[in-house]
Amino acid sequence: MTETPRAIVPLRIQADEAHRELTMRHKVYPGQVKRGKMTEAEAQVGYDVMRAIRDTLRLFAEYETEIRSALRNAIEARRTLESDPVAQSIAKELDARAVEVREREEQFEFMEPGSEGSGGLVGVPPSDRLAGEGPAP
C-alpha cells in the first residue's frame, strides 16, 4: 500500500483548528464530568493541553517562514554531517570536548559557601582559589 503524501497545512490554520477543538471541549467536557466519564481535574488538563497547543501554534504561525527555513537548513546540515567524513570527525571532537566540560563542571560546587579560609569555594583546589587574588601571571 502506498502512502499518500502529507499536505502542508499552514500553522495559522492548525492554530484555528486547535482553537475550534478547545471551544468544543468547553462544550462537551462539562457533560462528561456530570455523567462521571471524566473528573473535573481530567477536564482541566484537557483544556490546558489544548490551550497550550493552540498558543504554541499561534506563536509559531507568526514566524512560520523563518521556522520552516531554519528546519530546512538544519536538515541539510544533518545530511552533510552524515555524509561528510571531515564533518563527522569535527562533530565527534566537539562532542568529546563537551563531555569533558560537563564532567569538569560536575566535579565542583561553585555556589555553596565554603569553610573559613577556603575563599568561599567548595571543591576547588587551593591553587585555583588563589587565582583570583592579585594580578594575573
Side-chain angles (χ1 to χ4, degrees):
M1 183 161 71
T2 59
E3 192 174 315
T4 306
R6 291 185 186 181
I8 296 176
V9 179
L11 293 174
R12 175 58 57 200
I13 292 173
Q14 293 179 45
D16 291 346
E17 186 64 18
H19 182 75
R20 187 202 59 75
E21 172 65 23
L22 181 60
T23 301
M24 186 180 72
R25 287 180 184 199
H26 277 286
K27 291 176 183 175
V28 172
Y29 283 6
Q32 296 278 26
V33 171
K34 239 183 208 176
R35 288 190 297 282
K37 298 288 183 178
M38 68 186 332
T39 66
E40 189 67 45
E42 290 170 329
Q44 190 59 52
V45 168
Y47 298 142
D48 292 344
V49 168
M50 188 51 62
R51 186 177 300 109
I53 291 168
R54 180 205 58 197
D55 292 348
T56 299
L57 288 168
R58 282 180 173 173
L59 174 65
F60 283 13
E62 292 179 38
Y63 302 98
E64 182 165 9
T65 302
E66 295 86 349
I67 290 169
R68 289 189 186 277
S69 176
L71 286 171
R72 276 191 299 276
N73 292 340
I75 291 167
E76 183 58 35
R78 179 178 289 166
R79 287 183 183 139
T80 299
L81 180 61
E82 291 171 352
S83 64
D84 184 342
V86 173
Q88 289 175 356
S89 175
I90 292 169
K92 285 178 187 174
E93 180 64 27
L94 289 173
D95 191 42
R97 289 182 187 195
V99 169
E100 282 179 28
V101 169
R102 281 194 302 271
E103 288 172 352
R104 246 185 272 135
E105 287 173 350
E106 291 170 3
Q107 292 174 3
F108 304 110
E109 300 170 22
F110 292 103
M111 298 308 290
E112 293 184 20
S115 60
E116 194 66 36
S118 70
L121 299 176
V122 174
V124 178
S127 61
D128 290 344
R129 283 189 209 127
L130 301 176
E133 298 174 11

